[in-house]
Amino acid sequence: MSNTKAALKAAKAALDGHQYAAAANEAQKVLDVDPNNYHANVFLGLACDKQNKNDEAERVYEVAAKLKPNDPLVWQGFITLYEKQAGKKIDQYGDAAIHLAQCLMAMDDKERCQTVIDKYVGFAKQHGTRSQYKHALEMMLPTSSLYDYLEGRFPKPDYIYTKVVEITEAEEKERINKEIGERRTRLGAKIGQVTMEVKREVFQGSNLEYLYGCIIDWTSDDDLRRLYEEKALQRAYDTLAVLPPKQKEAKRAQVVKSAEGLVILKHPFALAWMVTLEWKDREVIESYDVGLLREYTELFSSDGLSKVLRAYLSSEISPFPQQIKQSTDDSDEDEMTIMTADDRLLLMSEGAEESPRSVLSQRLMAEYYTFLDEYASAVDSAKKAREQISLEAQVSGLQFRDNLDAVNVILATALIHYQSPRNHPEARSLFENILERKPVNTSALIGLGLILEEEDDYEGATDSLARALKQSTDVKVKAEYAWCKAMTGDHGTSLKELEACLPELEKADVKTKSLRAQTLYRIGMCIWNLDPSKRARKDRAGAYARFLSSLQANLNYAPSYTILGIYYADYAKDKKRSRKCFQKAFELSSSEVEAAERLARAFADQREWDLVEVVAQRVVDSGKIRPPPGSKRKGISWPFAALGVCQLNNQDYAKSIVSFQSALRISPDDYQCWVGLGEGYHNSGRYIAATKAFEQAQKLETSIGGVQAEDTWFCKYMLANVRRELGDYEDATQGYEDVLSMRPTELGVTIALLQTHVESAWCSIELGYFGQAAESAGKAVAVAAVVVKGRPAAFNLWKALGDACAIFSWMQAYLHRFPIEEVRSVLGNDKTVEMFEQMSDIDKVGASSLDQLCPTKQTPVTLEQCIHAAILAHKRLVHTCVHDVHAQAVAWYNLGWTEYRAHSVMGKDSTASPKNNGSVYLKASVRCFKRAIELEAGNSEFWNALAVVTTQLNPKVAQHAFVRSLYLNDKSARVWTNLGALYLLQHDNQLANDAFTRAQSADPEYTHAWLGQGILALLLGEVKESRSLFAHAFEIADASTIVTKRLYASSAFDQSLEQVSPSGTTDILQPLFALHQLKSQITTDYVFEHLQALLCERISASDEAIASLSAVCARMEEEYETSESSLSLARFAQAKADIARACLAAQDFDAAVENAETALDLSADLDSNSEAFNTCHRYRLSAHLTAGLAYHYTGLMDKAITMFRAALEETDGNPDVVCILSQVLWAKGGVEERDVAREQLFNCVEKYPGHAGAIILLGVIAMLDDDQDTAEAVTADLHDLRTRTDLDEQYQLKIGRLLAALAISHPGTETRESVIIGEATTAVMLAPSQPHGWSQLAELSDDAFPTEMVLLTAVGSVPPKGALDAEALGKAFAGSSRPANAQRAVMMAPWVAAGWEGLL
């Protein structure tokens, strides 16, 4: 014990001497002996503290505190230790401070106790967080164990609570913001929902409301108390807003109690008053406490709701007694301050804008707007009130059913009149919803009755208003009830009841006057309808007097003006007054549909379409024309129809379509609307829709009455126009003729018929129906003869006549059908010399040319007469439109193209240079186009035309004109193509290619662009590319283009010449058809007629070839006799050689010999130095061969051999000629001749070792002569030949059969059948995709497989995959045993007997 004390004393001394290590050692010695020694632990802790061994010191202090928890020394050590560590151990510091203070309280040392607490609070404030500081402050609150001991020494509780509240509010705000920021980024999170969830969590776990209550309880400052009462109410309200519906009731009661308390104290806190006023569920305003309302206006004089209340309470619709406010001035008299109506409305509007969240404000505003008949504003305010009721219901959890019903009544009442009757379904739904719950709601019954009245359901309206009258004595309801009876036909009873209402309508206010005017009008209408006789209605003491009385009561009552207008129009016959009445009625109300209709008709009669449109549009905007769904009232279609007519006149076709469609939705059987709709579709280019509209109108002509027969012609006329636009010219013509049968003097229809015939003719030319085109052009001339009698100055007349005449120049084969006498008659009608003298000094076509239009039987119509007639027609067109600049420019343009057409078909001199000696027509066309450009320089087509006609005259001018045209319209494929042709003529291939490419981009279907590319490719040596381009151009071209047919036919013939095997029929048909059409268009183009004959020869059309070649020979002979040139002689000789070959094919051997010898004689006369002599060898060879074959078939073998020998000499041993000669020699039968044939063939094979014909003939001769050595040699050559791929099927078939025959004629060990089958099998192996080997095998075998393979390979060998013709394909189908294939064989080649045999 003595050692322990000594050690403790030593430790104390060391501490006093600041020897902390020694003190720690001494204290440790004591603890080694006695671990529970309190002072040793304290001394050790202090020593460690001084040595900055904080953790060791804290551990030792904890041991000492457990030993003596009520001793202040150890707790003082804790505090000293923690103070040194600043903010690291504030929470532990707080615990130590509390223990120390309790120890000091036990020792009754108040000074030190207070010092400890004050020191701790200051330390926490300086070094701690907000939470730690709040914890420190809570030690000074009444809830602390030290408060009673130190009461009076601590600050007042309300001050401490205020500090705690401030810290708590800051913490909550920070937490809310943090949580919202974190949660809002989650997938699918919504900011509103996240905010509500976070606030709910924070508010439910917060004690802030309790702290507010503590401040309220402890503070003696009334202002502070009121402040925290406001905060407590706001906090409760915010909490209520985020609570789920099931938890709202208790909190709502708390909010209401707090709010009512503040209101009782008349404390100006807006939320409290809002809760008290807005949360009152009142169906009528009378249920509110007016004193409370007035107190609110006094407390919140500048608030929006206060302004609304102040104005409302002073209004005439306020259910509360007026409060008289007295103002003092220098006099002793009191003066009432009265608010005017304008000031009241302004104040209420301003208040409603400032309080958009107030239900009461928007409700009162809607009610007042309804009173003022400002229904649009009433609807807006009522809808805002409904939205706010919904929001308040979500916050408070209350239903506000009465409030909502009251607002819905106001809304529905306003909807009755706002845009009536568009909103009637919504208003009716609102009223019916209210009446389901409140069957005796007077306002709803009245509103429903008014809606039914508007919908012409007067029985239902009468019932609803009768129920309302049981609850109300309102004179307006009585008047409406009586009027509904009148509308049901009970005018007498209604008249009495309406007159009974008049005594109650004697007040001078505006509402009463308006109702009195309405009642007087209705009384007048009852009198008007009781006796509908003209005498009674004209009586000025009857209904007329009531209408005037109505206007005396209210000058702005529109229906009275309408009925007075009807009176003046129908009975007083005063149009001026009636129009004024209708205008006044419509100015006052756009709902006066009757007045509007009469006004619109009057304006339409005067052609004042702008006024018609204004009237109709205003009626449409009024909303009165469309009945609501389920209404018995019929819709009104005439405003939409009137709008459609006005829009048609304004060329606004899209809008007119919409207007007519709207009219037809209301009146589907309106004939005129269908016609108007069709016209709108037609003018906007929607022809299919227009056709359907006009057809529907025509159906209505017979299905409904009321359509006059004379009124249907326009529909027929427009339908004909539509069909004309669609290219259905036959139906269009029939339509025009039907109209003319009804109205023969309708000149516009006649001109339309004329134009239709011309357009039909052009269309027929494009389709290749030239006979039909000639017929249509003739009909056009006949119609023009009718038009010229009625209107010779018509622009379209001469344009159509000129086109009709020019059409015959595009089909010269039909010139004999040109109605020249009728044309002469039309042109000569009312003529003057000046009409035809334009350009006559250049083109020599004038009035004298008209006299030349007189053909005789000896002199048929010529192309010149046809062209001159077209030129004269266009010249008269120029003379006709001399006063119209634009029309004159077009007339010159048309005349220019006609002159150029004349130049193209007959005015060009091929021997003269166009630049030095151009056609007179070409010069005239240049002048015409220049004149057109002078009149209208902005037309790109005019510049293009000028460029075309000057292309060869002056290329620089042409280029400038093309560039100008493209500047005006760079999308024109025609201009780009013409420019490319210009560059092509100037040998600038690159620019030409660029221009043609641009043309193809602008319009891929433009034919001449592809032709230009084809010509360019041909010039560059790309023959294959040019042929494909020509073929494509021909496929997309119409039948009127001549150059397309020429180039396509020429390229197709050249391609057929280059082919090793002969062209199939399908390859020849299209070029042949093109040349047939070309012959109809140009009858003098003998070069291409010659080409046509050659193509006919290739498809075995010998008779047609002979006819064409005969015409060519006659023309060539005539040309040779005129010119005697070697070139003409060569052409004549070639034609004779070709016709000889055609005659041979037709088995006219004598003619073949004659023509062939003529060709040989003519070609023999050619000069050997001429160019034509170098090209005569081919047709001389043809003539020799033709003559030889003709002699052979006539039995003149010697002459035949002579011809063949001559052919052989001229061709220097041509192997084909050798083969023909050998066959003829062998056929003659003599030994010498046959030896010569063998010799010729051997020489041919030696010279041309791969010639299949010669080898096959040698093989046949060897087999006939039984020459085994020759047969063996030939067999070897035949085996080599059959492996060649350039031989066609016929040669392959011959080789196979010859090999089989040779094998049979020189048999070995194999049988005859096996040899034949072997050769057929070899043919199949060499060419398995070709049908010839399979056909041989099928003939030798009974197996079905070879037959099927014949058919399969034949189908795969037809064009374009192969060259198999229709006959071979038909035989392949016929070889099958199936009846279906036999039918196909007949379809493929009906001339083949095998197909018909297969059907047996």
Side-chain angles (χ1 to χ4, degrees):
M1 177 66 75
S2 58
N3 292 332
T4 300
K5 290 182 177 179
L8 288 173
K9 288 181 179 179
K12 181 68 171 66
L15 288 172
D16 293 339
H18 303 292
Q19 297 177 0
Y20 304 116
N25 291 332
E26 294 297 331
Q28 187 61 47
K29 291 178 181 178
V30 175
L31 291 173
D32 290 342
V33 177
D34 184 7
N36 294 325
N37 189 294
Y38 172 72
H39 290 91
N41 279 293
V42 171
F43 291 158
L44 179 59
L46 181 59
C48 291
D49 180 13
K50 296 299 182 181
Q51 292 178 337
N52 294 323
K53 298 179 180 179
N54 298 332
D55 294 338
E56 182 67 20
E58 185 176 9
R59 183 184 64 78
V60 174
Y61 281 144
E62 288 175 353
V63 174
K66 292 178 181 179
L67 295 174
K68 290 185 177 182
N70 295 324
D71 188 84
L73 183 61
V74 64
W75 298 112
Q76 185 64 49
F78 270 120
I79 290 173
T80 303
L81 176 64
Y82 292 146
E83 283 180 346
K84 185 177 65 174
Q85 299 182 46
K88 291 183 179 181
K89 300 285 186 177
I90 291 180
D91 293 334
Q92 293 84 343
Y93 185 180
D95 294 338
I98 291 173
H99 283 88
L100 179 58
Q102 290 175 346
C103 292
L104 295 173
M105 181 177 66
M107 297 169 61
D108 195 20
D109 190 347
K110 291 184 178 182
E111 291 291 338
R112 291 179 62 196
C113 182
Q114 180 184 356
T115 302
V116 170
I117 297 301
D118 289 344
K119 188 177 181 182
Y120 166 58
V121 171
F123 187 82
K125 180 178 181 181
Q126 181 180 1
H127 298 289
T129 63
R130 278 199 300 256
S131 298
Q132 292 169 338
Y133 179 49
K134 183 175 76 170
H135 179 67
L137 289 173
E138 288 173 350
M139 295 178 64
M140 297 182 177
L141 294 175
T143 56
S144 172
S145 60
L146 301 173
Y147 181 79
D148 292 338
Y149 178 69
L150 296 176
E151 185 176 5
R153 291 178 175 270
F154 284 162
K156 291 182 178 181
D158 59 338
Y159 174 78
I160 302 300
Y161 274 119
T162 302
K163 293 291 186 183
V164 173
V165 164
E166 291 175 354
I167 294 173
T168 304
E169 288 176 343
E171 289 178 340
E172 287 188 0
K173 183 177 180 180
E174 182 179 347
R175 180 185 172 190
I176 289 172
N177 292 336
K178 180 181 177 182
E179 289 293 329
I180 291 175
E182 291 178 354
R183 298 187 189 184
R184 68 182 299 181
T185 59
R186 295 175 182 174
L187 189 64
K190 298 180 180 179
I191 184 64
Q193 183 179 359
V194 168
T195 301
M196 184 175 290
E197 291 175 355
V198 171
K199 287 185 176 181
R200 184 188 304 131
E201 293 176 7
V202 174
F203 291 169
Q204 288 180 335
S206 173
N207 65 339
L208 196 56
E209 286 189 52
Y210 165 76
L211 295 175
Y212 289 151
C214 291
I215 296 176
I216 294 170
D217 293 340
W218 281 98
T219 185
S220 58
D221 187 349
D222 289 341
D223 293 337
L224 185 63
R225 182 180 293 109
R226 296 291 174 265
L227 173 63
Y228 279 93
E229 284 177 348
E230 293 176 4
K231 286 192 173 184
L233 176 58
Q234 185 68 54
R235 180 52 176 256
Y237 181 83
D238 293 341
T239 305
L240 177 65
V242 298
L243 285 176
K246 295 181 179 180
Q247 301 177 16
K248 286 183 181 287
E249 185 175 358
K251 181 61 69 174
R252 181 175 63 247
Q254 177 189 344
V255 171
V256 172
K257 182 179 179 181
S258 300
E260 289 178 348
L262 290 173
V263 169
I264 291 172
L265 295 173
K266 298 183 180 180
H267 180 64
F269 182 49
L271 179 61
W273 289 87
M274 185 276 294
V275 170
T276 304
L277 294 177
E278 304 284 357
W279 287 11
K280 299 292 184 184
D281 193 15
R282 300 288 186 265
E283 187 172 3
V284 291
I285 300 298
E286 294 95 310
S287 302
Y288 282 90
D289 184 354
V290 66
L292 197 64
L293 297 177
R294 289 190 172 121
E295 287 176 1
Y296 181 83
T297 60
E298 293 173 359
L299 290 173
F300 304 93
S301 59
S302 61
D303 181 69
L305 177 59
S306 175
K307 293 178 181 179
V308 174
L309 285 171
R310 190 161 64 251
Y312 179 81
L313 292 175
S314 67
S315 69
E316 54 269 53
I317 65 171
S318 172
F320 307 110
Q322 297 291 330
Q323 185 181 30
I324 301 175
K325 201 183 266 189
Q326 297 180 351
S327 61
T328 60
D329 53 12
D330 296 337
S331 65
D332 294 334
E333 298 180 358
D334 293 334
E335 182 183 12
M336 290 191 304
T337 57
I338 301 175
M339 187 182 300
T340 64
D342 292 340
D343 293 339
R344 183 180 301 112
L345 179 59
L346 182 62
L347 185 62
M348 291 187 75
S349 300
E350 182 180 346
E353 290 179 1
E354 294 176 0
S355 56
R357 296 292 303 275
S358 172
V359 175
L360 184 58
S361 172
Q362 299 300 332
R363 175 180 172 180
L364 295 177
M365 197 73 242
E367 185 175 342
Y368 192 67
Y369 277 134
T370 304
F371 168 73
L372 296 176
D373 294 341
E374 295 289 342
Y375 299 113
S377 301
V379 168
D380 184 56
S381 297
K383 288 184 176 180
K384 290 180 180 177
R386 291 211 311 173
E387 292 176 3
Q388 296 308 316
I389 288 174
S390 176
L391 293 176
E392 289 299 330
Q394 292 178 8
V395 172
S396 65
L398 296 171
Q399 294 299 318
F400 297 112
R401 175 55 60 190
D402 290 338
N403 272 354
L404 186 58
D405 286 346
V407 172
N408 282 338
V409 166
I410 297 172
L411 175 60
T413 303
L415 288 174
I416 294 174
H417 306 282
Y418 175 58
Q419 295 183 348
S420 174
R422 181 184 302 173
N423 298 313
H424 282 186
E426 182 181 356
R428 184 170 181 173
S429 175
L430 292 172
F431 284 136
E432 290 175 346
N433 185 27
I434 294 171
L435 290 172
E436 286 178 1
R437 290 176 285 100
K438 301 175 182 179
V440 294
N441 189 297
T442 305
S443 300
L445 287 170
I446 295 172
L448 182 59
L450 294 176
I451 291 175
L452 294 174
E453 181 182 345
E454 285 287 332
E455 295 178 355
D456 293 351
D457 187 1
Y458 298 110
E459 294 180 358
T462 303
D463 178 66
S464 182
L465 292 172
R467 291 166 58 193
L469 281 174
K470 295 178 182 179
Q471 311 295 327
S472 173
T473 59
D474 189 356
V475 66
K476 183 177 181 180
V477 181
K478 293 179 182 179
E480 291 293 342
Y481 176 68
W483 180 245
C484 288
K485 284 185 177 180
M487 299 309 293
T488 58
D490 190 0
H491 299 291
T493 305
S494 174
L495 178 61
K496 294 177 182 178
E497 292 182 359
L498 287 170
E499 288 178 341
C501 294
L502 287 177
E504 301 180 40
L505 300 173
E506 298 296 339
K507 294 181 181 180
D509 60 282
V510 176
K511 283 283 184 180
T512 305
K513 285 185 177 181
S514 178
L515 183 56
R516 180 178 177 83
Q518 184 187 59
T519 305
L520 286 168
Y521 162 77
R522 290 176 173 179
I523 291 172
M525 289 303 299
C526 290
I527 297 172
W528 182 274
N529 292 321
L530 275 173
D531 188 359
S533 65
K534 187 173 183 180
R535 179 181 178 182
R537 290 188 173 181
K538 289 181 70 175
D539 185 7
R540 289 181 177 266
Y544 176 78
R546 301 304 191 279
F547 298 144
L548 289 181
S549 299
S550 172
L551 291 178
Q552 290 172 359
N554 182 4
L555 280 174
N556 294 325
Y557 189 64
S560 296
Y561 286 105
T562 300
I563 192 63
L564 282 174
I566 296 173
Y567 171 82
Y568 288 125
D570 297 344
Y571 299 99
K573 304 301 180 182
D574 191 341
K575 292 184 178 180
K576 186 176 181 181
R577 283 189 177 182
S578 69
R579 183 163 180 174
K580 287 183 178 180
C581 288
F582 290 139
Q583 286 179 338
K584 183 65 175 177
F586 193 60
E587 287 174 5
L588 291 172
S589 173
S590 60
S591 299
E592 292 301 309
V593 180
E594 178 70 19
E597 183 176 4
R598 295 206 177 214
L599 273 179
R601 291 185 183 277
F603 291 142
D605 292 339
Q606 297 174 3
R607 303 293 178 182
E608 297 179 359
W609 298 112
D610 292 341
L611 295 178
V612 174
E613 185 174 9
V614 170
V615 172
Q617 187 62 56
R618 192 175 175 207
V619 176
V620 170
D621 295 339
S622 70
K624 291 288 185 180
I625 59 176
R626 284 195 179 99
S631 173
K632 295 182 179 180
R633 186 167 62 86
K634 294 183 178 179
I636 303 170
S637 62
W638 72 261
F640 285 117
L643 277 177
V645 172
C646 296
Q647 288 155 354
L648 280 178
N649 287 329
N650 295 332
Q651 298 183 357
D652 195 349
Y653 303 119
K655 289 184 179 179
S656 72
I657 291 171
V658 175
S659 297
F660 284 123
Q661 286 175 338
S662 300
L664 288 169
R665 291 190 187 100
I666 299 172
S667 301
D669 294 334
D670 192 327
Y671 173 81
Q672 298 298 341
C673 285
W674 281 110
V675 175
L677 178 62
E679 187 174 358
Y681 280 134
H682 169 264
N683 292 333
S684 59
R686 298 167 63 179
Y687 300 118
I688 300 299
T691 302
K692 294 180 179 179
F694 287 127
E695 289 176 349
Q696 180 63 27
Q698 288 187 333
K699 290 179 182 177
L700 294 176
E701 293 176 5
T702 56
S703 62
I704 64 173
V707 181
Q708 300 296 326
E710 60 270 14
D711 294 336
T712 62
W713 72 271
F714 185 74
C715 177
K716 292 181 172 61
Y717 168 68
M718 289 302 300
L719 181 57
N721 285 342
V722 172
R723 286 172 172 163
R724 170 184 163 192
E725 295 290 348
L726 291 173
D728 190 359
Y729 298 109
E730 184 176 353
D731 289 342
T733 301
Q734 185 62 46
Y736 290 131
E737 290 175 350
D738 292 343
V739 174
L740 289 173
S741 65
M742 300 169 59
R743 299 174 69 92
T745 59
E746 199 68 44
L747 187 61
V749 180
T750 309
I751 292 178
L753 176 61
L754 170 62
Q755 292 175 318
T756 303
H757 283 311
V758 173
E759 291 175 9
S760 175
W762 282 119
C763 181
S764 298
I765 286 179
E766 291 175 356
L767 296 175
Y769 303 146
F770 301 115
Q772 186 174 336
E775 181 180 358
S776 297
K779 291 180 179 179
V781 174
V783 176
V786 177
V787 176
V788 75
K789 297 176 182 178
R791 191 176 176 185
F795 179 91
N796 292 331
L797 163 65
W798 302 112
K799 169 68 168 61
L801 180 63
D803 289 347
C805 295
I807 282 171
F808 285 91
S809 69
W810 292 89
M811 44 180 188
Q812 298 172 16
Y814 295 86
L815 282 175
H816 62 281
R817 296 174 64 176
F818 180 64
I820 189 168
E821 294 182 358
E822 293 184 19
V823 171
R824 185 171 181 271
S825 175
V826 173
L827 289 173
N829 185 282
D830 196 20
K831 68 171 182 176
T832 61
V833 177
E834 293 79 8
M835 291 179 178
F836 308 111
E837 294 306 313
Q838 295 91 346
M839 303 291 173
S840 60
D841 57 331
I842 299 176
D843 61 7
K844 309 304 179 185
V845 179
S848 59
S849 300
L850 183 61
D851 299 330
Q852 298 175 6
L853 301 179
C854 50
T856 62
K857 294 182 179 179
Q858 292 76 19
T859 58
V861 178
T862 63
L863 179 61
E864 182 180 10
Q865 290 174 322
C866 175
I867 288 295
H868 283 182
I871 293 174
L872 290 173
H874 284 290
K875 286 186 175 182
R876 185 153 183 181
L877 174 62
V878 173
H879 181 269
T880 300
C881 57
V882 67
H883 301 295
D884 188 342
V885 175
H886 174 71
Q888 193 175 16
V890 175
W892 281 110
Y893 172 75
N894 292 330
L895 177 59
W897 276 125
T898 307
E899 297 277 5
Y900 185 71
R901 179 62 182 166
H903 162 73
S904 300
V905 298
M906 65 182 219
K908 188 183 297 184
D909 187 359
S910 60
T911 61
S913 171
K915 186 173 182 180
N916 299 326
N917 188 21
S919 168
V920 292
Y921 301 110
L922 184 62
K923 293 178 181 179
S925 68
V926 173
R927 291 281 298 275
C928 291
F929 291 135
K930 286 183 177 180
R931 181 60 178 155
I933 291 172
E934 289 174 2
L935 295 172
E936 189 177 340
N939 193 313
S940 63
E941 294 295 331
F942 294 177
W943 287 101
N944 173 60
L946 178 63
V948 170
V949 299
T950 57
T951 297
Q952 291 181 316
L953 295 175
N954 193 329
K956 292 184 178 179
V957 172
Q959 184 183 24
H960 169 74
F962 279 134
V963 171
R964 183 64 179 173
S965 178
L966 290 172
Y967 173 78
L968 295 171
N969 179 18
D970 63 346
K971 305 293 184 183
S972 176
R974 180 185 293 104
V975 181
W976 280 110
T977 302
N978 293 338
L979 180 61
L982 174 65
Y983 289 140
L984 200 61
L985 292 173
Q986 301 304 314
H987 309 293
D988 194 334
N989 296 337
Q990 182 59 47
L991 288 178
N993 181 66
D994 294 342
F996 291 137
T997 304
R998 285 291 300 270
Q1000 291 166 358
S1001 300
D1003 184 4
E1005 298 296 322
Y1006 189 61
T1007 305
H1008 293 81
W1010 297 98
L1011 284 178
Q1013 288 277 30
I1015 295 172
L1016 184 61
L1018 193 62
L1019 292 175
L1020 297 176
E1022 299 176 2
V1023 179
K1024 187 176 182 181
E1025 176 70 15
S1026 69
R1027 288 172 181 168
S1028 64
L1029 290 170
F1030 291 147
H1032 177 68
F1034 178 76
E1035 289 172 358
I1036 64 176
D1038 56 58
S1040 64
T1041 54
I1042 295 174
V1043 64
T1044 308
K1045 300 182 183 69
R1046 288 174 170 172
L1047 291 173
Y1048 172 65
S1050 300
S1051 65
F1053 184 75
D1054 292 341
Q1055 184 178 6
S1056 67
L1057 292 178
E1058 295 175 2
Q1059 293 177 348
V1060 176
S1061 59
S1063 300
T1065 304
T1066 54
D1067 298 331
I1068 302 299
L1069 285 180
Q1070 276 194 323
L1072 188 59
F1073 288 155
L1075 291 173
H1076 270 293
Q1077 288 185 341
L1078 183 63
K1079 184 178 180 181
S1080 298
Q1081 291 180 274
I1082 303 177
T1083 57
T1084 59
D1085 195 344
Y1086 296 103
V1087 173
F1088 285 92
E1089 189 170 2
H1090 193 168
L1091 179 61
Q1092 176 190 343
L1094 296 178
L1095 293 176
C1096 289
E1097 181 186 5
R1098 285 177 172 259
I1099 60 171
S1100 302
S1102 303
D1103 294 339
E1104 186 174 354
I1106 292 171
S1108 298
L1109 288 170
S1110 298
V1112 172
C1113 289
R1115 173 63 180 171
M1116 294 297 102
E1117 184 177 6
E1118 180 182 351
E1119 181 180 339
Y1120 174 68
E1121 289 176 354
T1122 303
S1123 63
E1124 295 186 356
S1125 65
S1126 58
L1127 182 60
S1128 299
L1129 181 61
R1131 290 176 178 175
F1132 185 30
Q1134 184 177 358
K1136 281 294 185 180
D1138 292 339
I1139 197 173
R1141 193 168 59 251
C1143 291
L1144 177 65
Q1147 299 183 3
D1148 187 357
F1149 305 120
D1150 294 336
V1153 170
E1154 180 184 356
N1155 286 300
E1157 289 182 346
T1158 302
L1160 293 173
D1161 294 340
L1162 292 173
S1163 59
D1165 295 336
L1166 290 174
D1167 186 0
S1168 60
N1169 297 323
S1170 65
E1171 181 180 356
F1173 182 79
N1174 297 327
T1175 61
C1176 70
H1177 299 291
R1178 293 179 66 88
Y1179 60 79
R1180 282 183 61 82
L1181 172 62
S1182 173
H1184 280 114
L1185 294 177
T1186 302
L1189 290 174
Y1191 282 132
H1192 168 69
Y1193 287 119
T1194 55
L1196 302 175
M1197 291 298 183
D1198 294 335
K1199 291 185 177 181
I1201 294 172
T1202 303
M1203 285 295 178
F1204 289 135
R1205 290 186 183 277
L1208 194 62
E1209 292 174 0
E1210 288 200 9
T1211 58
D1212 193 19
N1214 186 284
D1216 294 326
V1217 178
V1218 171
C1219 291
I1220 295 175
L1221 176 60
S1222 299
Q1223 292 179 62
V1224 173
L1225 290 173
W1226 189 271
K1228 188 175 180 181
V1231 176
E1232 183 179 355
E1233 286 81 359
R1234 292 188 176 185
D1235 291 339
V1236 172
R1238 291 190 192 94
E1239 182 181 356
Q1240 291 288 341
L1241 288 174
F1242 277 119
N1243 293 334
C1244 179
V1245 170
E1246 183 180 357
K1247 190 174 182 181
Y1248 303 99
H1251 193 268
I1255 296 175
I1256 291 173
L1257 285 176
L1258 276 178
V1260 172
I1261 292 174
M1263 183 179 63
L1264 293 175
D1265 291 344
D1266 196 19
D1267 187 350
Q1268 187 172 359
D1269 295 336
T1270 304
E1272 291 177 358
V1274 168
T1275 300
D1277 290 338
L1278 289 175
H1279 282 297
D1280 293 337
L1281 282 176
R1282 73 187 313 178
T1283 59
R1284 285 169 51 180
T1285 58
D1286 58 339
L1287 294 181
D1288 61 12
E1289 182 184 351
Q1290 296 298 325
Y1291 271 117
Q1292 293 284 359
L1293 189 60
K1294 289 179 181 180
I1295 292 171
R1297 290 178 177 176
L1298 180 58
L1299 285 172
L1302 290 172
I1304 294 171
S1305 62
H1306 300 89
T1309 59
E1310 298 178 355
T1311 63
R1312 179 176 181 275
E1313 289 77 7
S1314 61
V1315 171
I1316 297 174
I1317 293 175
E1319 292 298 333
T1321 306
T1322 305
V1324 169
M1325 293 297 295
L1326 291 173
S1329 61
Q1330 298 298 322
H1332 61 273
W1334 292 105
S1335 62
Q1336 286 181 305
L1337 194 61
E1339 292 174 359
L1340 299 172
S1341 173
D1342 296 333
D1343 193 354
F1345 178 72
T1347 305
E1348 294 177 0
M1349 289 304 300
V1350 170
L1351 181 58
L1352 183 63
T1353 54
V1355 171
S1357 299
V1358 297
K1361 296 179 181 179
L1364 195 70
D1365 57 13
E1367 183 173 348
L1369 182 61
K1371 290 180 180 179
F1373 274 110
S1376 174
S1377 60
R1378 299 176 184 175
N1381 287 335
Q1383 291 176 343
R1384 292 188 179 93
V1386 172
M1387 289 298 297
M1388 293 291 176
W1391 61 88
V1392 176
W1396 296 100
E1397 292 172 356
L1399 292 176
L1400 298 177

